[in-house]
Amino acid sequence: MKIMGISMGFHDAAVSVIDNGEILFAAHTERYSRIKNDPWLNSDIISEALEYGKPDVIVLHERTWLKRLRNIVSRDWASAREPTPQWWIKNFYPELSGIPIKQVGHHYSHAAAGVMTSDMPEACVVNIDAIGEFDSATIWHWRAGKMKKLHSVKFPNSLGLFYSAVTHRVGLKPMEDEYILMGMAAYGDEKLAKEVSNTMSTDYFKTKPWISGKLALNMKSNVQRGLDPDSFPGVDDMVIARAAQMQAEHRIFRYCEYAKKLTGSDNLIYGGGVALNCMANTRLFDLFDDIWIMPNPGDAGSSLGAAALYYYNHTGNTLTWQGPYTGTNIPGKYPVKLAMQSLKQNKIFGIANGRAEFGPRALGNRSLMADPRGGDIKSDLNEIKKRQKFRPFAPIILEEFASHYFEMPCKRIPYMQFVVKCKFPELFPAIVHYDGTSRVQTVNRDDHAGLYRLLREFYDATGCPMLVNTSLNIKGQPMVNTVSDAADFAKHYGVEVHTSDV
Amino acid sequence: MTDKKQIPETSDKADTNSQTDSEQQKLAEREKKIQQRLEELRKRDPFIYR
């Protein structure tokens, strides 16, 4: 059974195709339209998805009319009038005509995206996001092949919405720049941030997080129109960011603690856009022995969740997870030799090879890389990427060396879901944030054979088992997708991009 | 005879293909216009999340 999953109409649309449990294709529409976080579909991604065959069924990641009802309830008339995915498909893709279109619940798709890609036979499943149809957080128990919903938090109560509202308050773009707010948090004065955090707790939330885990995400008001622009007058944006991060971390922790109490499980499958907050994620190891966060836990990943759920409901089988490299293919041998030549010349270089990553993070196939040693790399990379100077870059490291260099809460972090303390920050300033942490990606041979080989060769030549890794994109644009995008990047920044070894 | 038959068939097919291409192009253009309009409407919207 060939199933196409579609998520669209919010902030980062995506299309996935699965066939008998195998993920044939999964990609973001932004990589094709070249519009960052593109909420709509386009004919290029549909054409590429159809190269894997015509689907028997299309599954949408949320219930359209339930979402419309929420729009109406919150008097969001503009959203209520936007075209539905069904209308979009019918009007623009005649090649999909006649294929039945099904829908599954927004949080059910999130839960399925996590459960169906994990190998856990039993787990507590938590999803936290801004808004689905009405749910903004849910707790499920995955046991004996069944997913049972145990608790939900309903709109306008929403931690994700609160975090987006603070993102908006500090002048960043909500639904897009939340990760920048998280990066800013490290620079906020701790004492001042605690005071602001207390005010946030009193002004926006119904209870203090330590009083009730069950009610930890419940709010006093709807912040869907943002915070009052006059809120926190005279307070530095970095302090506001840190305060919001403190609120997020406490409340996520308490809600997950409640989830653990409900399910009695030591395993956590965590999803929803809030699961991209890798600082908050690390704290959850104090509650759970094992945590699975799929590499695309936001709404884009739900295109896969929706398809997987339909497959599971009809066959009882989960997906065969083979990693996040499911997008457009740039054929050829992984450019280890060319990359090593660049490293020997101490050059920053790009790699665009193989299938593009499904998710917001570059994990080696659409990456800008460099030697992490020395003080200049961070400023050189910032110069190329033209981004805020406070933002750090991430390391990719051979899995077997990770615990030597970082305080790892678990053996492997293949998709950068957690931040960890670096044990030698003075040696690798480029990959360590202001608070001494790094957002590590560990690599073993099974995760990515080419990238593993590159790291091994670099280690053999230098004794250093890691590289700096950041996404290969021109500022303000989505990640490079095709060879032509890679050439544009090289031309724009004067940085070599290797597409394959001869 | 066969050759003669094949020529108009090929020509018909080419016509159909170019018709389909132009229809697809029209659809893609319309899709882009609607996307741009929706983007403009979203920018005016006071809601930060939908």
Side-chain angles (χ1 to χ4, degrees):
Chain A
M1 191 193 318
K2 203 162 279 172
I3 307 164
M4 179 182 277
I6 291 179
S7 56
M8 68 170 286
F10 47 102
H11 46 81
D12 182 16
V15 176
S16 300
V17 180
I18 64 170
D19 187 13
N20 288 326
E22 188 190 347
I23 303 166
L24 301 180
F25 175 80
H28 302 246
T29 62
E30 63 161 24
R31 312 279 160 89
Y32 299 80
S33 66
R34 311 307 299 156
I35 298 167
K36 204 169 180 197
N37 284 320
D38 191 348
W40 310 109
L41 295 179
N42 59 68
S43 51
D44 289 339
I45 192 169
I46 294 293
S47 299
E48 192 168 317
L50 285 172
E51 285 173 18
Y52 297 90
K54 198 172 173 177
D56 301 302
V57 60
I58 295 169
V59 190
L60 305 177
H61 83 299
E62 60 187 8
R63 296 193 184 276
T64 310
W65 297 108
L66 205 52
K67 184 175 172 179
R68 285 291 178 274
L69 182 62
R70 192 253 296 156
N71 292 149
I72 291 164
V73 167
S74 58
R75 299 177 179 211
D76 180 2
W77 310 120
S79 296
R81 280 197 298 266
E82 284 189 349
T84 63
Q86 292 90 330
W87 181 91
W88 205 275
I89 292 164
K90 192 179 162 198
N91 279 274
F92 297 124
Y93 311 116
E95 58 274 44
L96 297 178
S97 72
I99 301 171
I101 300 176
K102 308 284 180 188
Q103 305 170 48
V104 291
H106 187 107
H107 270 247
Y108 204 4
S109 304
H110 274 315
V115 167
M116 301 295 150
T117 54
S118 87
D119 57 5
M120 291 178 182
E122 183 277 333
C124 164
V125 184
V126 175
N127 302 303
I128 307 177
D129 66 1
I131 332 172
E133 292 101 352
F134 281 93
D135 287 345
S136 66
T138 48
I139 297 169
W140 309 66
H141 196 187
W142 165 244
R143 188 174 53 174
K146 287 207 166 65
M147 248 191 290
K148 191 177 171 194
K149 190 174 174 182
L150 302 177
H151 185 259
S152 66
V153 177
K154 304 276 184 207
F155 171 80
N157 300 303
S158 169
L159 183 70
L161 203 50
F162 165 76
Y163 205 80
S164 286
V166 179
T167 304
H168 182 249
R169 164 62 186 80
V170 301
L172 296 168
K173 197 175 172 191
M175 295 206 285
E176 193 167 316
D177 290 341
E178 282 75 5
Y179 68 104
I180 301 178
L181 187 78
M182 185 180 67
M184 286 166 66
Y187 292 88
D189 178 83
E190 191 181 353
K191 202 176 154 204
L192 290 173
K194 270 186 185 163
E195 284 171 25
V196 175
S197 175
N198 281 334
T199 310
M200 282 178 176
S201 197
T202 314
D203 288 357
Y204 297 106
F205 292 92
K206 277 189 183 151
T207 62
K208 301 283 182 192
W210 52 87
I211 290 175
S212 164
K214 185 180 178 178
L215 302 175
L217 311 183
N218 284 16
M219 302 189 68
K220 282 185 175 164
S221 57
N222 181 1
V223 292
Q224 204 184 0
R225 290 169 191 258
L227 303 186
D228 179 353
D230 297 328
S231 53
F232 315 111
V235 180
D236 183 59
D237 285 348
M238 301 292 186
V239 173
I240 294 176
R242 183 155 187 173
Q245 184 62 28
M246 282 173 169
Q247 281 300 312
E249 288 185 21
H250 290 329
R251 291 178 187 278
I252 292 166
F253 187 88
R254 291 297 174 204
Y255 191 64
C256 286
E257 196 175 48
Y258 173 63
K260 186 181 163 87
K261 209 165 103 183
L262 278 185
T263 59
S265 180
D266 290 325
N267 301 321
L268 173 68
I269 295 174
Y270 183 30
V274 174
L276 286 164
N277 192 317
C278 46
M279 285 168 73
N281 295 350
T282 307
R283 287 193 60 194
L284 301 179
F285 277 106
D286 291 342
L287 293 172
F288 298 96
D289 295 340
D290 199 3
I291 300 175
W292 169 255
I293 302 171
M294 67 96 82
N296 203 353
D299 288 357
S302 289
S303 64
L304 184 62
L309 184 59
Y310 188 88
Y311 174 68
Y312 180 75
N313 285 341
H314 285 78
T315 65
N317 297 320
T318 60
L319 296 176
T320 313
W321 179 249
Q322 289 176 320
Y325 308 100
T326 54
T328 295
N329 188 34
I330 296 181
K333 215 169 148 188
Y334 198 77
V336 175
K337 275 187 202 160
L338 291 169
M340 282 303 294
Q341 280 171 20
S342 295
L343 285 165
K344 276 175 193 161
Q345 293 162 26
N346 208 20
K347 279 184 181 170
I348 293 167
F349 62 96
I351 287 186
N353 175 275
R355 297 192 71 174
E357 294 87 345
F358 184 47
R361 283 151 192 164
L363 299 168
N365 280 6
R366 300 293 186 274
S367 289
L368 190 63
M369 296 184 193
D371 185 338
R373 300 165 301 169
D376 297 336
I377 289 295
K378 189 172 171 180
S379 56
D380 291 351
L381 276 168
N382 266 323
E383 186 55 37
I384 291 170
K385 296 209 67 169
K386 305 266 185 297
R387 63 182 212 174
Q388 296 95 331
K389 293 220 160 32
F390 60 80
R391 287 168 56 196
F393 295 98
I396 30 173
I397 185 165
L398 289 167
E399 186 181 295
E400 53 270 37
F401 290 95
S403 55
H404 179 73
Y405 289 91
F406 301 99
E407 290 173 13
M408 296 285 287
C410 52
K411 190 175 170 231
R412 49 193 297 264
I413 307 176
Y415 312 128
M416 297 185 179
Q417 306 103 315
F418 306 100
V419 294
V420 292
K421 280 264 176 208
C422 179
K423 292 179 183 173
F424 310 101
E426 67 288 350
L427 296 179
F428 307 101
I431 52 97
V432 182
H433 198 22
Y434 190 70
D435 59 4
T437 64
S438 300
R439 196 175 63 184
V440 171
Q441 178 193 354
T442 62
V443 181
N444 65 32
R445 212 186 296 268
D446 292 335
D447 292 330
H448 193 312
L451 185 56
Y452 182 83
R453 216 169 55 247
L454 171 60
L455 287 165
R456 261 281 151 199
E457 285 199 21
F458 185 62
Y459 173 71
D460 291 342
T462 64
C464 173
M466 66 178 125
L467 290 170
V468 180
N469 173 27
T470 181
S471 56
L472 191 66
N473 67 306
I474 294 173
K475 186 178 164 58
Q477 287 189 17
M479 264 193 268
V480 159
N481 198 43
T482 61
V483 173
S484 150
D485 299 336
D488 285 347
F489 181 93
K491 197 174 155 194
H492 195 91
Y493 290 130
V495 172
E496 263 186 301
V497 180
H498 307 308
T499 52
S500 70
D501 270 347
V502 180
Chain B
M1 285 293 281
T2 318
D3 282 352
K4 270 182 192 171
K5 265 187 184 171
Q6 272 174 353
I7 294 164
E9 268 178 21
T10 317
S11 164
D12 274 355
K13 205 173 180 183
D15 281 352
T16 318
N17 279 346
S18 76
Q19 252 179 7
T20 314
D21 283 354
S22 103
E23 272 167 26
Q24 274 181 344
Q25 211 172 333
K26 269 186 199 166
L27 276 178
E29 276 167 21
R30 189 164 162 248
E31 186 183 27
K32 209 164 258 178
K33 265 187 197 165
I34 289 178
Q35 283 172 353
Q36 282 167 354
R37 178 74 186 132
L38 285 166
E39 219 31 59
E40 280 166 24
L41 288 172
R42 279 191 173 192
K43 273 179 196 160
R44 282 191 236 154
D45 189 4
F47 286 85
I48 59 160
Y49 218 107
R50 49 205 65 246

